[in-house]
Amino acid sequence: MTTSSTPSTPSSDPTTATGVPRAGGPGRLAGRTVSRVGYGAMQLERLHGDRASALAILRRAVELGVDHVDTAQFYGDGFVNDLVREAIRPEDGVLVVTKVGATADSGGPLPLRLAQRPEELRAEVEANLAALRLEQLPVVNLRRAETGPGLRAEGEQIVDIDDQLAVLTALRDEGKIDKLGVSNVGPDELRRALPVGPVCVQNSYSLVSRGDEDMLRTCLAEDIAWVPYFPLGSAFPGMPKATDEPAVRAVAETLGATPSQIGLAWLLHHAPHVLLIPGTADAAHLEANVAAGALTLDDATLAALDAVPSRSGEPTFE
């Protein structure tokens, strides 16, 4: 995996460090070129009993031209970071992005709990460093919890973003973090984060949930990568899904693609600073996600997809 000492490559570089064509073409993140289709490693925790298959998926991602992997120490209580450390080699030139704001809670009702307080953020940075065996984390995202979707901060977990950014910038000054990003933020939080120079924003965003359009445009103007989670809506009950849309299904049938591929391709066509990190624990699904980066959507197709209504939704948990 790369550290901050890796030199930036030209934004037009069509291949990864291993000489593979970039999945989805070249994009920019943290001052360097990355493939626009990356990989979100969270779902690898589902393969806890099949380590060999989990490692093979990470290696396959690199072979397919992925060089941006998103992970966190609270994914599988360290299991996913352990896989990333083992599977990703320095010569692969992969940018490994981590996040803080939660911690593993294997004995709780959910496998994680919020960890928003400054001392908890510092502890999670240290845990990511130790697990990945790095002296410096290339990019760390602060995952906020003031709004949904997902867990909401309550009580002592309600922490002002300025206090959180203060500890993360201190860690950056100490050399333990190179670049910072923010996740699950609203317009005011993004505005307050701009002085620390965020390199990316990870928000819930998809064809069917475009409420953050103004922030997406702000990030484009500020040269900040837009890295959506829930890029197809969400599999959680109560949230809209791009794959359910008749327009998406019609385009998929016309192009001989899957509805999921159309939803991902729309994001790449929608704005040049969008980077994708779709996750999967299935090799065939990984290959389909990467193939979505090669789809071309003409103006008429984009207009039909743009006409799909955007609406909000909150996941419901049983």
Side-chain angles (χ1 to χ4, degrees):
M1 67 191 72
T2 63
T3 67
S4 59
S5 62
T6 301
S8 297
T9 52
S11 60
S12 59
D13 190 345
T15 61
T16 67
T18 59
V20 180
R22 292 192 175 280
R28 297 290 292 176
L29 176 59
R32 57 163 285 178
T33 302
V34 296
S35 301
R36 293 189 71 197
V37 179
Y39 177 70
M42 181 177 68
Q43 291 193 37
L44 289 179
E45 64 188 23
R46 294 162 46 194
L47 296 176
H48 209 288
D50 190 356
R51 186 181 185 88
S53 292
L55 291 169
I57 286 175
L58 283 166
R59 290 307 310 161
R60 183 61 177 148
V62 173
E63 292 170 357
L64 291 170
V66 168
D67 63 356
H68 167 204
V69 171
D70 181 86
T71 185
Q73 181 63 12
F74 55 84
Y75 290 170
D77 198 4
F79 174 70
V80 173
N81 266 354
D82 190 48
L83 293 170
V84 170
R85 184 190 70 244
E86 181 175 343
I88 303 301
R89 305 160 185 166
E91 59 267 28
D92 296 327
V94 172
L95 181 66
V96 175
V97 176
T98 56
K99 66 172 63 63
V100 295
T103 193
D105 187 18
S106 57
L110 295 173
L112 57 83
R113 62 173 176 80
L114 293 178
Q116 297 279 300
R117 296 162 60 190
E119 65 271 23
E120 294 173 315
L121 299 179
R122 178 176 281 274
E124 284 300 302
V125 167
E126 296 287 359
N128 278 288
L129 283 166
L132 295 170
R133 295 181 187 169
L134 292 175
E135 294 183 358
Q136 183 182 69
L137 298 172
V139 182
V140 173
N141 280 307
L142 166 63
R143 210 294 187 179
R144 293 277 291 164
E146 293 294 302
T147 61
L151 295 174
R152 300 285 186 96
E154 299 177 346
E156 66 179 11
Q157 288 298 314
I158 299 175
V159 182
D160 191 273
I161 190 172
D162 291 343
D163 295 331
Q164 295 176 316
L165 292 173
V167 70
L168 292 175
T169 53
L171 285 160
R172 186 174 62 183
D173 292 343
E174 293 167 23
K176 295 182 177 182
I177 297 172
D178 186 25
K179 308 289 186 184
L180 292 172
V182 289
S183 175
N184 201 43
V185 294
D188 179 64
E189 292 168 311
L190 176 58
R191 177 187 59 79
R192 292 164 67 186
L194 288 178
V196 308
V199 297
C200 57
V201 170
Q202 287 189 1
N203 271 19
S204 175
Y205 182 88
S206 68
L207 173 64
V208 292
S209 183
R210 305 190 298 273
D212 286 346
E213 192 70 20
D214 287 346
M215 279 194 288
L216 179 148
R217 298 299 163 185
T218 296
C219 288
L220 178 60
E222 297 285 343
D223 194 26
I224 298 170
W226 185 262
V227 189
Y229 67 88
F230 292 162
L232 298 174
S234 174
F236 288 122
M239 295 190 73
K241 303 174 185 62
T243 53
D244 289 342
E245 292 297 322
V248 172
R249 291 182 170 275
V251 171
E253 184 174 357
T254 298
L255 296 182
T258 67
S260 294
Q261 288 176 315
I262 299 305
L264 295 176
W266 177 85
L267 285 163
L268 293 174
H269 283 73
H270 186 60
H273 65 316
V274 171
L275 305 177
L276 302 183
I277 49 169
T280 181
D282 179 83
H285 190 194
L286 169 66
E287 293 182 8
N289 289 340
V290 170
L295 291 175
T296 298
L297 306 180
D298 61 25
D299 289 345
T301 299
L302 286 171
L305 294 173
D306 289 345
V308 171
S310 171
R311 62 265 193 203
S312 60
E314 280 291 325
T316 57
F317 302 99
E318 296 296 333

